[in-house]
Amino acid sequence: MIIAAIPKLIQNGTAIGPFALSLYMLAVGAALFKPNIAPTVLDQSPHRKHHVVVQKDGSKAIIDPEATSESIMLWFYLLINIGAFVGVATAYLARFVGFWAAYLVPGIIYFMLPVFLIWVNKALVKKPPGGTALEDFVYVNYLALRKAGIRGIGRKGYWDRVKPSVLAAAGDTKVYRYDDRFVEDVRRTMAACAIFLFFPIQQINDGGLGAAANAQSASLTNNGVPNDVLDNLNPLAIIVLIPIMNHIVYPGLRKMGIRFGPISRMTFGFLIASIGASSYAVIQYKIYETSPCGYDASTCDIDPLVSPLSLWLYAIPTAVTACSEVFINVTAYGLAYSRAPEHMKGFVMSLSLFMTAISTAISLATANAIQDPYLIWCFAAPSVIGFIAAPIFYFLFRHLDSEDFFLEEDAHPPTSDIESERNYDDKKVTGVSELPAKA
């Protein structure tokens, strides 16, 4: 992209080649990097079951693996958005210096990452890829579908009939590489994958359908502020909210004995995203009312060319929908990791990220409708769908809030200073420690 942004290439019209190649390379790189980075981060915490840690002063603190995973992913997402906030600087560089400078700054950062990874490589817990687990996972799904048919999906006994013990009792003499527990792992993994089907709704509400948000910001009075700057309020809102949730809200809820499980958090996130999308719709309505071109506001050619409303109004829905990511995206990372079998973490994470491609495809399919005078509905329709989908999502998956967060046992058994604590009463616990789990 740095090469494609060289002014001479742009001026003579030859920048499209390197620009298209750079987009393809970024897509391939993201496909290799994103499904693996979150599992690698979570692999560094080996504990999967509740433990009581005896501290140096003799006091005991409960290590909750779900709370630890949640805290790790909140910090992970915080760092992602600190990087995204660099976009404020690149927006001004693109406006006042040139696109080459805007691409050069993140380019320098990217060139430093391989050196950093080599430096920390020896200290990382690394797990080998599990091709056999993926093959067995696909086979269990195929066998269950073949035996129960499409109508049997989700019905009682759908997974039980493919357990090796059940097959053996029915006279099947075939030796299977997996056991009954693996089939149960597949069931829970598929339940997590079903959750991901709701993600395109939130992703569309988080910024509107297609380029609708860009059309809206271009119709407002900016007073010299680049339109791209306000898009960077998304990471800023996340940077502000994450420490509040991680150090105040979530610990406070646990101390009060309130279970705010992953499904409850994600349902809350869906509602926030829908509220943010509805505020986009209200702003667009006011733009049409105040623009000199009325319902042709985004293509106005009458002076003044924009609505007198301030561009900073656009910051309200941008920040609100960003907050939904803290409850949905962060939770999804932990959920995808915890529900997947040991050697399929990256695969399940990639299914979660694949929902972004679905939402993008929906935006492309509706591109012709994303124009005046239909921009209100580009925000309102997804918002309405989001409000309807949130209670349906909670009703379908609320049982996951009461299930064990992790499928597998601890990567390392308890040592002498850590006791396994399986049967404690949650309601009697005044607080849950978020201390890093001991290796």
Side-chain angles (χ1 to χ4, degrees):
M1 282 191 168
I2 299 171
I3 295 174
I6 295 174
K8 285 188 177 180
L9 292 183
I10 295 175
Q11 290 168 7
N12 61 28
T14 58
I16 186 62
F19 180 74
L21 178 62
S22 66
L23 285 179
Y24 177 76
M25 293 175 65
L26 283 173
V28 173
L32 293 171
F33 179 81
K34 285 190 174 183
N36 294 297
I37 181 61
T40 299
V41 171
L42 287 168
D43 280 344
Q44 310 313 305
S45 176
H47 297 289
R48 304 292 181 262
K49 299 295 179 183
H50 290 95
H51 293 87
V52 173
V53 177
V54 180
Q55 303 185 89
K56 291 182 179 180
D57 61 0
S59 62
K60 295 182 178 181
I62 296 172
I63 296 294
D64 183 342
E66 180 178 349
T68 302
S69 170
E70 174 188 282
S71 182
I72 290 172
M73 283 296 95
L74 283 168
W75 280 108
F76 172 73
Y77 206 65
L78 175 68
L79 292 173
I80 288 175
N81 283 277
I82 289 175
F85 194 61
V86 175
V88 173
T90 58
Y92 277 100
L93 282 172
R95 185 180 181 95
F96 298 112
V97 180
F99 289 109
W100 65 270
Y103 290 129
L104 180 62
V105 171
I108 292 172
I109 296 173
Y110 272 114
F111 291 139
M112 295 168 59
L113 291 181
V115 177
F116 174 76
L117 290 174
I118 293 172
W119 180 52
V120 301
N121 180 55
K122 291 184 178 180
L124 294 177
V125 174
K126 297 183 290 293
K127 296 183 179 180
T132 302
L134 178 58
E135 183 181 343
D136 290 342
F137 177 85
V138 173
Y139 181 75
V140 167
N141 276 278
Y142 163 75
L143 191 60
L145 185 61
R146 192 182 73 180
K147 288 183 173 294
I150 295 177
R151 292 185 178 181
I153 296 176
R155 299 188 179 223
K156 186 176 181 180
Y158 179 79
W159 298 105
D160 291 339
R161 55 172 54 93
V162 296
K163 291 181 177 179
S165 61
V166 175
L167 292 170
D172 190 341
T173 59
K174 181 178 178 180
V175 178
Y176 294 90
R177 293 186 304 187
Y178 56 87
D179 55 15
D180 289 2
R181 180 178 177 180
F182 182 81
V183 176
E184 189 65 18
D185 289 351
V186 172
R187 177 191 70 82
R188 298 178 67 176
T189 300
M190 292 303 294
C193 292
I195 289 172
F196 302 152
L197 295 176
F198 284 78
F199 284 13
I201 300 171
Q202 181 268 340
Q203 290 164 355
I204 291 173
N205 278 327
D206 188 4
L209 190 62
N214 291 337
Q216 181 175 106
S217 63
S219 303
L220 295 165
T221 301
N222 59 29
N223 293 318
V225 178
N227 294 346
D228 293 344
V229 167
L230 266 69
D231 288 329
N232 288 283
L233 288 175
N234 176 292
L236 178 61
I238 293 170
I239 291 168
V240 172
L241 180 61
I242 283 180
I244 295 173
M245 301 305 300
N246 196 27
H247 296 291
I248 300 175
V249 177
Y250 287 155
L253 291 175
R254 285 193 287 269
K255 286 182 179 180
M256 292 186 290
I258 298 174
R259 167 73 171 160
F260 195 36
I263 301 304
S264 299
R265 294 198 298 272
M266 293 171 76
T267 302
F268 186 63
F270 282 125
L271 292 173
I272 291 177
S274 300
I275 292 171
S278 63
S279 62
Y280 274 121
V282 172
I283 292 173
Q284 188 62 46
Y285 172 74
K286 297 301 294 183
I287 288 173
Y288 282 153
E289 276 199 333
T290 57
S291 172
C293 291
Y295 279 76
D296 293 315
S298 66
T299 56
C300 189
D301 57 1
I302 300 175
D303 192 29
L305 303 178
V306 295
S307 165
L309 297 175
S310 173
L311 177 63
W312 290 100
L313 282 174
Y314 179 78
I316 298 173
T318 301
V320 171
T321 55
C323 294
S324 71
E325 297 180 29
V326 176
F327 298 98
I328 296 177
N329 294 5
V330 173
T331 306
Y333 289 144
L335 201 62
Y337 179 87
S338 66
R339 310 292 297 185
E342 180 65 21
H343 296 295
M344 292 182 57
K345 307 296 187 183
F347 172 71
V348 177
M349 187 69 69
S350 67
L351 292 178
S352 170
L353 295 169
F354 179 67
M355 295 301 106
T356 303
I358 299 297
S359 63
T360 302
I362 293 172
S363 295
L364 290 174
T366 57
N368 289 336
I370 304 173
Q371 57 183 330
D372 295 326
Y374 311 116
L375 292 180
I376 293 176
W377 286 106
C378 291
F379 301 112
S383 175
V384 171
I385 294 172
F387 279 119
I388 295 172
I392 295 174
F393 173 83
Y394 182 78
F395 176 79
L396 290 175
F397 302 109
R398 66 188 186 281
H399 62 280
L400 297 180
D401 276 346
S402 59
E403 290 189 5
D404 288 339
F405 189 70
F406 281 99
L407 294 176
E408 71 270 12
E409 296 293 331
D410 282 7
H412 303 289
T415 56
S416 58
D417 65 336
I418 302 179
E419 310 170 53
S420 176
E421 191 80 356
R422 305 257 193 250
N423 300 314
Y424 67 86
D425 184 356
D426 284 334
K427 295 182 180 178
K428 294 181 181 179
V429 177
T430 56
V432 180
S433 173
E434 291 186 22
L435 294 173
K438 292 186 178 181

